[in-house]
Amino acid sequence: MKTDLHCHSHFSDGKHSPSFLIKRAEENKITHLAITDHDFMTATTERNSKVQIINGVEISCNWQNREIHVVGIGIDHKNHILKSMLFSQQASRHKRAGKINELLVKAGIDGLVAYLDALKCVSVTRSHVADFLVLSGASKNRQQAFNRFLGKGGRAYVPATWVSLSEANHAISASGGIAVLAHPSRYKLNRSNFNKLIDSFKQAGGSAIEVSYGGIHPNTKRTLEETALKKNLFMSAGSDFHDANAHWTDLGKFPEISNFAKENVIWRHPKWHFS
Ligand code: AMP
Ligand code: MN
Ligand code: MN
Ligand code: MN
């Protein structure tokens, strides 16, 4: 069994179609793949694939003035609670994109709306805006686009209004899925806030955390595995793959969960029902 439970298609900020992802997963000998687009449930129509497709989503949440991501694994696309929550997340995304556009226009940068309209995405993310800023020559690269414009302190920064951790966890659970705290080491938290986040997430009904992802340092992975064991959380892992042109990432490219931690892997979760 080789799983990848976190990646993105062109329905959010990934560069490729779901079929491309599934083909690449087959090539990379992945047995179980979850496409986890930002605030959108991507449906696949692939039949006869060797890869088992697990329905997924990555939900943006606000927690203590920060943006925290929660992945839902094995969700039901038809669930009304989840659908209506994601509908309001989409509304927040569109509202924020409009405000970002206003700030960019004030800075003399025109054309974001037309750029976004021509894309395949449903979920408009700041990554798309960053690509636009690079393409229009306003920024040298994505990182500079975030530093100068889109990140906290940037001149087109617009704080987003997302759901809370408990709203996200509740909607995921209500739809039969497993709520997973995404990439816990990427939030730049000190030890005390890191522990607070893990506890808040658990209290809010979450039951798993990602302990391995693309580019993770072995020490970080170990800390996350130890945390999951200590806090009785299940462990998930995924590449967070977005783009085949970013050669350092790929589907299935992330370190395996350590043997000492395997008793808590996500496929032992009572809600995991995939063969
Ligand atoms: P959004 O959900 O629209 O706020 O967009 C978030 C996405 O933007 C994340 O999933 C990252 O891929 C990307 N992102 C956020 N902050 C940065 C940053 N400082 N540098 C580069 N990419 C970033
Ligand atoms: Mn992304
Ligand atoms: Mn994320
Ligand atoms: Mn992601």
Side-chain angles (χ1 to χ4, degrees), residues 48-176:
N48 309 320
S49 166
K50 283 192 219 98
V51 182
Q52 171 140 24
I53 309 299
I54 297 173
N55 290 337
V57 67
E58 181 173 18
I59 301 172
S60 295
C61 302
N62 289 129
W63 176 77
Q64 299 201 342
N65 244 339
R66 297 168 200 276
E67 293 185 26
I68 304 293
H69 291 175
V70 175
V71 163
I73 294 296
I75 48 171
D76 174 6
H77 283 185
K78 294 192 284 296
N79 182 270
H80 288 290
I81 297 175
L82 188 55
K83 269 166 72 174
S84 79
M85 198 190 78
L86 295 180
F87 186 80
S88 86
Q89 294 277 96
Q90 289 301 332
S92 302
R93 286 190 172 276
H94 281 108
K95 206 164 145 197
R96 183 184 60 166
K99 285 186 190 161
I100 291 175
N101 180 54
E102 282 170 22
L103 292 171
L104 289 179
V105 169
K106 266 190 206 150
I109 303 163
D110 269 305
L112 176 64
V113 175
Y115 175 82
L116 294 177
D117 281 347
L119 296 177
K120 284 208 174 63
C121 71
V122 177
S123 267
V124 178
T125 73
R126 282 181 298 167
S127 304
H128 296 107
V129 184
D131 286 347
F132 163 75
L133 288 169
V134 173
L135 206 73
S136 65
S139 298
K140 269 201 309 233
N141 52 47
R142 258 190 188 198
Q143 199 50 55
Q144 201 192 61
F146 272 94
N147 293 345
R148 295 203 180 156
F149 293 98
L150 303 169
K152 260 187 192 163
R155 61 187 296 192
Y157 175 67
V158 178
T161 313
W162 305 128
V163 291
S164 66
L165 290 178
S166 39
E167 284 170 302
N169 290 345
H170 172 71
I172 291 168
S173 296
S175 80

Side-chain angles (χ1 to χ4, degrees), residues 141-216:
N141 52 47
R142 258 190 188 198
Q143 199 50 55
Q144 201 192 61
F146 272 94
N147 293 345
R148 295 203 180 156
F149 293 98
L150 303 169
K152 260 187 192 163
R155 61 187 296 192
Y157 175 67
V158 178
T161 313
W162 305 128
V163 291
S164 66
L165 290 178
S166 39
E167 284 170 302
N169 290 345
H170 172 71
I172 291 168
S173 296
S175 80
I178 305 169
V180 183
L181 179 64
H183 42 65
S185 66
R186 291 218 192 122
Y187 306 118
K188 301 190 181 88
L189 301 171
N190 61 26
R191 186 180 284 270
S192 149
N193 282 329
F194 171 81
N195 287 327
K196 262 192 217 157
L197 172 62
I198 302 285
D199 290 340
S200 304
F201 176 71
K202 235 191 122 166
Q203 264 170 21
S207 62
I209 65 171
E210 286 183 350
V211 298
S212 182
Y213 23 95
I216 195 170

Side-chain angles (χ1 to χ4, degrees), residues 6 8 38 58 240 242:
H6 188 151
H8 297 272
H38 296 283
E58 181 173 18
D240 205 358
H242 285 75

